[in-house]
Amino acid sequence: MAYRGDDAGDALEAPTAEGALRVELGPRSVKLAVGQRSLQIAERFATLQDHKRKLSLKIEARLFIARDVPREDLGVWIELLDAKGTGMRRIFGVQPVSLLEETGLHALASLDRVAHRLRSSLAELALSRARSDDVRRAVELGRGLDKVLLVDHGDRYVIYARRLFRDRARFTMAIHDDGRIVVPHGSTTREIVVRSRFGITVWGDCIRFADRHGTDLAKVSIPWIAPEDRLELARRISQLVDLDGSFHPPP
């Protein structure tokens, strides 16, 4: 649903699991509200408010509208650059109406339309730095505060995950379509090469990378998400690095 709002802007609504999501798209600001929660983006600041508190965050870098796979949640993420280091923080999100409900499909279509308009309206902020202009989309996996963010640059994925007692998701790994994978190594990073989807598997809470002989190259911990979400993350990484599909796992 969409209609003309104040200040020559548009107002849109979409049903969600928490009630109606209202989005106001103005010439200089964007506001999202559902239940007692709201987010307003204006003048390079994101202001969050609920029934308990009000918080303003300065937008100094990138901003993403992400969709969850496979649950279709909608999330707003910003990149934080401060004394705590660089990271991504999910500042607002909603869950869709269950597809088991009679109106589930219609509600999801409405949420898709709202997400598309919201992404377009925030494009100027999302492209606030030159290095973000190659971002094709952002995907989130998991539930609640422990969602993993996958930023798709076309030729590479950059993945961010939150650690225990941290307020933001930090760089976890970068996967290039030529098989190069950058993983944490102490306080720095190191690069490995995996060119087949069969070299990428899930091992407990970790994504495991192995060479063509099955020897471990690296294990990257992705805690706090469900096993099916970890499998989906591994599947997406595998699809990006599998150059020719000719390699077969050892018996």
Side-chain angles (χ1 to χ4, degrees), residues 144-157:
L145 293 174
D146 298 317
K147 283 180 175 286
V148 170
L149 178 67
L150 184 155
V151 180
D152 181 357
H153 293 265
D155 63 341
R156 70 190 187 282
Y157 294 160

Side-chain angles (χ1 to χ4, degrees), residues 155-172:
D155 63 341
R156 70 190 187 282
Y157 294 160
V158 182
I159 296 170
Y160 301 85
R162 192 178 73 90
R163 300 305 180 191
L164 189 61
F165 305 127
R166 298 294 187 269
D167 68 342
R168 67 197 66 188
R170 296 191 181 275
F171 171 82
T172 300

Side-chain angles (χ1 to χ4, degrees), residues 28 47 54 57 60-62 74 81-82 85 93 104 150 160 174 183-184 187 213 218 220 234 241-242 249:
R28 293 175 296 277
T47 302
K54 184 175 182 180
L57 299 170
E60 297 180 304
R62 298 175 294 177
L74 182 152
L81 305 174
D82 55 30
L150 184 155
Y160 301 85
V183 299
S187 60
H213 303 292
V220 179
V241 305
D242 193 42

Side-chain angles (χ1 to χ4, degrees), residues 171 174 181-186 188-192 216-219:
F171 171 82
I181 299 172
V182 179
V183 299
H185 183 66
T188 61
T189 60
R190 67 186 180 95
E191 185 175 284
I192 60 175
D216 283 358
L217 297 175
K219 290 179 182 176

Side-chain angles (χ1 to χ4, degrees), residues 67-101:
R67 298 302 301 273
D68 180 278
V69 176
R71 302 178 185 90
E72 300 293 349
D73 294 7
L74 182 152
V76 181
W77 294 71
I78 63 171
E79 185 174 28
L80 300 176
L81 305 174
D82 55 30
K84 295 181 181 179
T86 302
M88 299 289 184
R89 180 172 175 179
R90 190 178 194 262
I91 58 174
F92 191 88
V94 294
Q95 299 177 21
V97 174
S98 171
L99 292 179
L100 298 178
E101 299 287 340

